[in-house]
Amino acid sequence: RIFTFDDSGLQVTSSMPITAPGSRSDREYFLAHVNADTGKLFIGTPVKSRNSGEWLIPMSRRLNTPSGAFAGVLVIGVDAKYFSDYFSEVSLGNGVLMVVRNDGIVIVRRRGADVRYAIDISKVPAFQRANAMRAGFFVSDRTVDGTSRIIATESLVDYPLAMRVGTSLDDALAGIGKDKPLYYSIAAALIVLLWSGASVVTGLFLRQRQAHREILTAKERSDRLLEENQRAQ
């Protein structure tokens, strides 16, 4: 799903029928580009589409006039279910899988059948600890829901995102007594292996590279359309 918006947030082009017209100038994916021309793809907080009502992950780029002034935004909306459906194939018991931005905004989080998008965990101690490391694991009893978990984390190279996997400490240490230190290491190693399987999810985000190329192609078309629209006005 590809959309373009002019400098006032009004939709100019769309790969889908426009059923909810109106300005999108209040959207994060729009505001992120108004005063900043980073030249980078922005991964926005998941939003409910005003057209379809579905959760989408907006990935956007700024559009400029020939002189470099802000001309609008081009957005690709990725169906968030694409990620949560994959998560449903991984059984973790009381464990958690999530993709989270470096600022603490959760792109998708799954615990059992409970799937959540766009929650802010920036103040949660477990997030803050995990965010301080590029990769690794630790034991935390200060998670979003208060469950003690062994948490493994890995940051994506090209994006401000991390993949997190957490398994319940009770599940990992069930039936274990005096040898807890040894089994902490074993359980942590198992989580890292589990993360290796779950890291396929990060590959889904790497598909953004293809989306990025599509954006650049669409951006060229949008630049021409915006220029023609401005001349017509």
Side-chain angles (χ1 to χ4, degrees):
R1 305 173 185 183
I2 301 177
F3 314 90
T4 57
F5 304 91
D6 65 17
D7 59 357
S8 66
L10 293 176
Q11 201 160 349
V12 178
T13 64
S14 174
S15 61
M16 299 177 62
I18 302 174
T19 59
S23 176
R24 301 300 195 272
S25 60
D26 61 329
R27 292 295 205 185
E28 179 193 38
Y29 58 71
F30 186 90
L31 295 171
H33 299 287
V34 173
N35 297 314
D37 187 5
T38 65
K40 295 181 179 180
L41 187 72
F42 177 76
I43 301 173
T45 302
V47 295
K48 275 194 174 182
S49 169
R50 292 176 184 170
N51 286 326
S52 66
E54 298 174 349
W55 281 98
L56 298 176
I57 301 171
M59 304 176 190
S60 59
R61 283 184 64 93
R62 172 176 164 132
L63 300 175
N64 289 330
T65 65
S67 64
F70 177 66
V73 173
L74 184 144
V75 182
I76 287 182
V78 178
D79 191 342
K81 286 187 64 179
Y82 187 72
F83 296 92
S84 59
D85 286 351
Y86 175 80
F87 280 14
S88 68
E89 298 175 8
V90 182
S91 177
L92 285 177
N94 196 32
V96 169
L97 280 164
M98 75 168 69
V99 176
V100 59
R101 284 193 331 204
N102 291 351
D103 61 358
I105 300 299
V106 171
I107 301 300
V108 58
R109 177 183 186 271
R110 186 171 197 119
R111 177 188 176 191
D114 181 40
V115 178
R116 300 191 183 187
Y117 309 103
I119 58 176
D120 186 350
I121 62 170
S122 60
K123 304 299 183 184
V124 177
F127 164 77
Q128 295 172 347
R129 184 172 177 183
N131 213 39
M133 59 177 70
R134 172 166 182 75
F137 59 86
F138 60 94
V139 178
S140 177
D141 59 358
R142 306 183 70 186
T143 58
V144 175
D145 53 21
T147 301
S148 296
R149 290 193 176 92
I150 303 172
I151 297 173
T153 181
E154 178 80 10
S155 298
L156 274 69
V157 174
D158 297 322
Y159 305 103
L161 298 169
M163 178 72 193
R164 303 269 157 81
V165 180
T167 190
S168 166
L169 195 57
D170 289 341
D171 290 346
L173 303 179
I176 297 170
K178 62 180 180 179
D179 293 325
K180 278 189 177 182
L182 170 63
Y183 284 94
Y184 275 127
S185 299
I186 293 174
L190 290 174
I191 282 296
V192 173
L193 290 175
L194 175 60
W195 176 85
S196 296
S199 66
V200 172
V201 175
T202 65
L204 302 179
F205 265 105
L206 293 179
R207 293 185 62 179
Q208 292 175 42
R209 294 184 184 278
Q210 177 61 36
H212 197 175
R213 287 192 288 269
E214 293 175 7
I215 281 180
L216 292 177
T217 301
K219 179 179 182 296
E220 294 175 359
R221 294 197 301 267
S222 298
D223 284 342
R224 290 196 297 270
L225 287 171
L226 285 169
E227 191 174 352
E228 293 171 0
N229 185 50
Q230 288 170 353
R231 284 201 300 266
Q233 293 177 352

